[in-house]
Amino acid sequence: MKVEIWSDVVCPWCHIGKRRFEAALDRFPHRDAVEVEWKSFELDPGAPSAAAGDPVSPTEYAERLARKYGTSVLGAQQMTDHMTQQAAAEGLDFRFDRAVRANTFDAHQVIHLAGERGVQDAVKERLLTAYFSEGEAVGDRETLVRLAAGAGLDADEVRAALDDQRYAGAVRADEAEAQALGISGVPFFVVDRRYGVNGAQPADALLQVLERAWAERTPLIPVITGGEVCGPDGCSI
């Protein structure tokens, strides 16, 4: 069974949703038969990236959020406080006071490369943690190279892939697919191309979707056998 997840590495609910999905998957009896693929979605395609080492104001994230949603800085701070509490309940340490502005197009290319090398989840997790907990500049190329190398990729290959924009087309294809599917917010989970789940739903809800999708794809299990039947080669006698 395949689960495709559209998300962004600067989306707080995407990190929370990832933890909740992992909790659901841990309880799913057939988890070893589930393939997970991370898909690209940019929350702010036009966002500029800050360089590694640029100073960050403790209220900068709230100020950006306030401008984006047309609310007060205090209102935006209340939003981040709520997300921080929700993250803590999932074992995550969100530090919005450290968050560095980033364009995530290159990060998504790195995640595509990681998918081809079999370490996609590890790289996705590393970038989310780097952004939300460590104040890393995930829009800075050399920072991306370092983080990706620490999660299992070859640094020279990451650098070369970013230099020639090797996965730019793959990122754009993911985004076009999201638009075709009507996905306007993330995280968004697509289970076996049958069910769509919008948002960071509780683990119980995600588990129910996994179980339902599995039940609908599993062949019927015969509980009584040995009766007379007919088949392509004839009938039993």
Side-chain angles (χ1 to χ4, degrees):
M1 188 164 72
K2 186 171 185 178
V3 179
E4 299 157 285
I5 309 172
W6 273 262
S7 102
D8 200 355
V9 297
V10 295
C11 162
W13 289 114
C14 292
H15 203 181
I16 294 169
K18 184 175 188 293
R19 278 294 180 276
R20 292 176 178 174
F21 174 72
E22 288 165 349
L25 202 58
D26 282 345
R27 294 159 52 195
F28 185 54
H30 311 287
R31 58 185 174 275
D32 292 340
V34 177
E35 175 190 358
V36 179
E37 180 179 359
W38 292 96
K39 297 277 201 172
S40 306
F41 191 101
E42 293 176 273
L43 287 178
D44 189 358
S49 289
D54 282 358
V56 179
S57 163
T59 60
E60 181 180 322
Y61 189 94
E63 291 167 1
R64 295 203 312 261
L65 206 63
R67 287 193 296 270
K68 183 174 182 178
Y69 293 108
T71 186
S72 66
V73 174
L74 177 60
Q77 188 63 57
Q78 290 172 341
M79 291 171 62
T80 60
D81 289 346
H82 173 68
M83 288 186 287
T84 299
Q85 292 168 2
Q86 293 293 310
E90 307 300 333
L92 299 171
D93 178 26
F94 276 9
R95 292 294 305 270
F96 288 105
D97 58 316
R98 297 178 178 176
V100 179
R101 176 187 287 274
N103 183 291
T104 59
F105 188 73
D106 281 350
H108 286 298
Q109 291 194 70
V110 172
I111 291 167
H112 270 280
L113 170 61
E116 292 189 356
R117 299 294 175 263
V119 291
Q120 190 178 53
D121 190 80
V123 170
K124 177 76 172 182
E125 180 69 26
R126 185 69 192 96
L127 297 183
L128 286 165
T129 300
Y131 180 78
F132 283 108
S133 300
E134 300 170 0
E136 292 275 17
V138 299
D140 177 83
R141 285 201 179 176
E142 282 307 308
T143 300
L144 273 177
V145 170
R146 172 172 54 82
L147 293 170
L153 287 175
D154 178 78
D156 290 338
E157 185 177 26
V158 174
R159 190 176 289 107
L162 291 176
D163 285 345
D164 62 23
Q165 296 288 282
R166 189 180 309 166
Y167 296 93
V171 174
R172 294 301 183 215
D174 279 356
E175 294 173 338
E177 191 174 17
Q179 187 173 19
L181 291 171
I183 299 171
S184 58
V186 288
F188 197 98
F189 303 80
V190 175
V191 182
D192 247 9
R193 287 292 163 133
R194 182 182 296 271
Y195 294 105
V197 179
N198 186 28
Q201 300 292 339
D204 286 348
L206 292 166
L207 178 60
Q208 289 176 7
V209 175
L210 291 173
E211 289 174 339
R212 182 172 180 178
W214 184 268
E216 292 182 358
R217 74 185 301 277
T218 304
L220 185 68
I221 300 174
V223 294
I224 301 177
T225 61
E228 290 79 6
V229 296
C230 287
D233 299 323
C235 298
S236 59
I237 56 172

